[in-house]
Amino acid sequence: ILGMVLSVSYDDSALTLVEHENGEALSELVLQKPAKYQNGSNFVWYGSEISEAVDGNVIKLVFDVSEAAKGSYPIEISYTEGSIFDSSYSTVSVDIVNGSIEIIK
């Protein structure tokens, strides 16, 4: 992957995105974070070349959780067709496994 845009969606009544960290899978690319963390934020990776493919995490997200939060809160990562491309500038499809934050009190 030479370029990618991912959107992050979550329940902002209980969760607040406060920090991120670039994962090792795209560590050779520049990560442009959104100007402001908010529900639906886009994270953009880009580069001019990549020396080798690396499997692993793409991004680590850190959330503050509301004191009133109870239960499960899904975190959805999505992309639009054409927003991920390889070094030949061909579009790439990826499988995304979404997760959730489970609040146990």
Side-chain angles (χ1 to χ4, degrees):
I1 294 176
L2 188 60
M4 178 166 63
V5 178
L6 294 179
S7 298
V8 178
S9 300
Y10 51 90
D11 183 344
D12 55 13
S13 68
L15 305 174
T16 303
L17 181 60
V18 295
E19 190 177 326
H20 78 281
E21 184 178 309
N22 199 12
E24 66 273 6
L26 300 178
S27 62
E28 291 188 26
L29 301 180
V30 174
L31 171 58
Q32 179 180 331
K33 73 172 191 156
K36 178 181 177 185
Y37 290 134
Q38 60 188 7
N39 194 7
S41 289
N42 289 325
F43 290 83
V44 180
W45 289 263
Y46 58 91
S48 57
E49 61 182 62
I50 191 163
S51 61
E52 65 179 85
V54 178
D55 289 334
N57 293 322
V58 172
I59 191 168
K60 176 182 175 183
L61 303 172
V62 178
F63 292 90
D64 275 345
V65 179
S66 164
E67 291 288 329
K70 295 180 182 175
S72 182
Y73 295 91
I75 309 297
E76 183 177 311
I77 309 293
S78 61
Y79 68 95
T80 58
E81 187 175 336
S83 64
I84 303 175
F85 55 92
D86 63 16
S87 59
S88 300
Y89 299 103
S90 299
T91 59
V92 176
S93 294
V94 298
D95 292 327
I96 295 177
V97 178
N98 290 309
S100 62
I101 295 176
E102 184 76 28
I103 308 302
I104 302 172
K105 292 189 177 191

